[in-house]
Amino acid sequence: MKRKMLSYIFSVFILCSFINASSQESLDYRVVGPRIGFDVSRLALFYLEPGRVNFELSGDLEIRELNYYAVLEVGWQQIDFEGKNYNYSSGGLYGRLGLDYNFLNLQSPDDYEMLYAGGRYGYSRFNHQADQIIITENYWGEYQTSVPKDGVNAHWLELIVGIKAELSKNLFIGWDIRGKFLLHKSGNGVMDPYNIPGFGNGSRRVAIGFSYTVAYRIPVTRKRVTINFQNPE
Amino acid sequence: MKTGFVLKHLFTYWFILMAILFLTSCNEPEGCNQSTNVFLRMDFYQLEAGEETSYTLPDLTVYGVTKPDSLIYDDVSNLTSINLPLSNARDQCAFVFVSENVYDTISFQYSSELTLLSIDCGFINIFNIKKIDANYTLLDSLFIRQPEIDANEEENVKLYF
């Protein structure tokens, strides 16, 4: 079932590679400016995972001639929950830096939609701790302790596929799915992080993530560019 | 603004993405599915002509030296191994073994390490045996087989009678 759906998605890429109708060179203007996005999928966490708060902003900038987009993503996460025999809290920041490549050929100079793949390097710095740890042992009695605040660094790489479209002038919407591969995480070894901000499950080395982003492009300037675009047939 | 390929398919493929995420999330185990009880397991043996065989102590009673009124095992006869609780608050424990009015005391020195077993199972203390002493009135000898004591219920100490 999963394989079928994945093959369906990737068939989109193959389809796109064949969209190569007669193209011609045109000299025209194109709006250039950073696109600032907000990941609205994080808002769903309020309902899906009470106790977890996560906000994420993204920014990308078109490097048109190369079909590349430079991307920066930053976020903040706070987690507080009561476990079986402990209270856990975690909070910190994360950032990702990378590139996206747009597979689509432009149909006109004002075509900004994207079917893209990209890569990211991610870094997170956060603290986590556990309080009121109560270990129950019937013969000798309860024992209460805590794990003091521990600073953790984590690095990872991501591979991304996604799409973006311009809903109205300068307003974009899009989603992506990403595979994440943990390179390193520090820590005191007593407990794995429940969740690494920006990465995901703290006890795994591979994670899957997704985002659903609403973005606004700040139209800084109009750049005169030479592009190859398709003739409508 | 151009309405093209991506916009047409934006929401269609969103459902596929959601389906993948749903199936992925279904693989997440929920709840604690493993033991969180940490006991020192000791198995009883007898050596006969160099051969190691399981042994049972008749009418065995076991209690902590400081808690003679609270018995861990009360006059049992068919056990070939016992599980003893170690104190989380201290780094040593001693237990009295009584069988047919013969008393022996076995004391343990150990270290402990707090470990988060899993998010659902919570924290446990994992112990590491440093030293064992005994009076050797009931006991003939002992051997530390696995000094680390966790929730896996593996044999930690062999007791020979």
Side-chain angles (χ1 to χ4, degrees), chain A residues 7-214:
Chain A
S7 65
Y8 190 41
I9 286 177
F10 287 111
S11 67
V12 173
F13 289 95
I14 297 164
L15 194 76
C16 293
S17 63
F18 288 105
I19 301 174
N20 192 21
S22 59
S23 62
Q24 69 178 53
E25 205 170 76
S26 169
L27 200 60
D28 217 321
Y29 290 94
R30 193 169 167 80
V31 177
V32 175
R35 192 162 41 188
I36 308 299
F38 176 72
D39 184 357
V40 294
S41 69
R42 305 292 105 187
L43 300 177
L45 291 174
F46 289 118
Y47 302 98
L48 297 174
E49 277 190 69
R52 180 177 166 194
V53 181
N54 182 200
F55 293 108
E56 184 172 314
L57 292 173
S58 61
D60 65 353
L61 186 64
E62 182 184 62
I63 311 168
R64 183 68 258 170
E65 289 82 352
L66 298 171
N67 246 32
Y68 284 101
Y69 290 75
V71 185
L72 175 68
E73 296 161 338
V74 292
W76 169 82
Q77 179 171 274
Q78 177 70 40
I79 295 174
D80 295 282
F81 69 86
E82 288 183 17
K84 180 189 174 190
N85 60 351
Y86 62 101
N87 291 342
Y88 180 86
S89 64
S90 163
L93 299 167
Y94 62 93
R96 305 187 199 98
L97 195 62
L99 279 177
D100 287 338
Y101 178 77
N102 188 8
F103 289 102
L104 294 182
N105 292 319
L106 297 180
Q107 294 182 0
S108 73
D110 64 342
D111 182 3
Y112 298 99
E113 66 181 18
M114 295 172 68
L115 173 61
Y116 63 93
R120 303 279 187 277
Y121 164 76
Y123 172 78
S124 176
R125 168 79 187 165
F126 64 101
N127 294 310
H128 70 147
Q129 66 185 90
D131 299 315
Q132 295 180 23
I133 301 168
I134 297 172
I135 298 176
T136 304
E137 195 284 300
N138 292 330
Y139 191 74
W140 299 105
E142 280 186 357
Y143 171 66
Q144 185 167 338
T145 185
S146 64
V147 176
K149 186 179 282 188
D150 182 29
V152 182
N153 295 297
H155 308 252
W156 67 93
L157 294 177
E158 297 183 2
L159 293 174
I160 300 172
V161 291
I163 55 179
K164 271 180 193 159
E166 191 178 18
L167 278 183
S168 64
K169 194 167 178 61
N170 292 320
L171 181 65
F172 290 81
I173 191 166
W175 57 258
D176 67 60
I177 185 165
R178 48 185 80 194
K180 307 178 183 191
F181 309 92
L182 190 68
L183 299 174
H184 173 75
K185 73 172 179 226
S186 65
N188 60 16
V190 174
M191 61 176 179
D192 272 331
Y194 170 69
N195 190 289
I196 297 172
F199 176 78
N201 193 319
S203 57
R204 294 187 179 178
R205 300 201 69 82
V206 178
I208 293 174
F210 73 98
S211 62
Y212 193 90
T213 304
V214 176

Side-chain angles (χ1 to χ4, degrees), chain B residues 61-74:
Chain B
T61 296
V62 181
Y63 56 86
V65 166
T66 57
K67 298 182 73 172
D69 297 331
S70 183
L71 303 180
I72 301 168
Y73 290 92
D74 184 9

Side-chain angles (χ1 to χ4, degrees), chain A residues 5 8-9 39-42 44 161-163 173-177 209-213, chain B residues 6-22:
Chain A
M5 283 188 291
Y8 190 41
I9 286 177
D39 184 357
V40 294
S41 69
R42 305 292 105 187
V161 291
I163 55 179
I173 191 166
W175 57 258
D176 67 60
I177 185 165
F210 73 98
S211 62
Y212 193 90
T213 304
Chain B
V6 167
L7 193 55
K8 283 175 189 168
H9 295 81
L10 187 66
F11 298 103
T12 306
Y13 294 119
W14 174 249
F15 288 108
I16 296 172
L17 176 65
M18 287 294 101
I20 291 170
L21 290 169
F22 176 75

Side-chain angles (χ1 to χ4, degrees), chain B residues 52-106:
Chain B
E52 186 180 276
T53 55
S54 290
Y55 183 71
T56 57
L57 277 172
D59 305 325
L60 175 65
T61 296
V62 181
Y63 56 86
V65 166
T66 57
K67 298 182 73 172
D69 297 331
S70 183
L71 303 180
I72 301 168
Y73 290 92
D74 184 9
D75 203 20
V76 291
S77 293
N78 53 355
L79 297 180
T80 56
S81 71
I82 57 171
N83 292 321
L84 295 181
L86 297 182
S87 170
N88 289 286
R90 293 182 293 172
D91 60 3
Q92 56 185 10
C93 270
F95 299 92
V96 176
F97 285 60
V98 187
S99 176
E100 295 181 321
N101 290 322
V102 179
Y103 288 70
D104 206 337
T105 301
I106 306 177

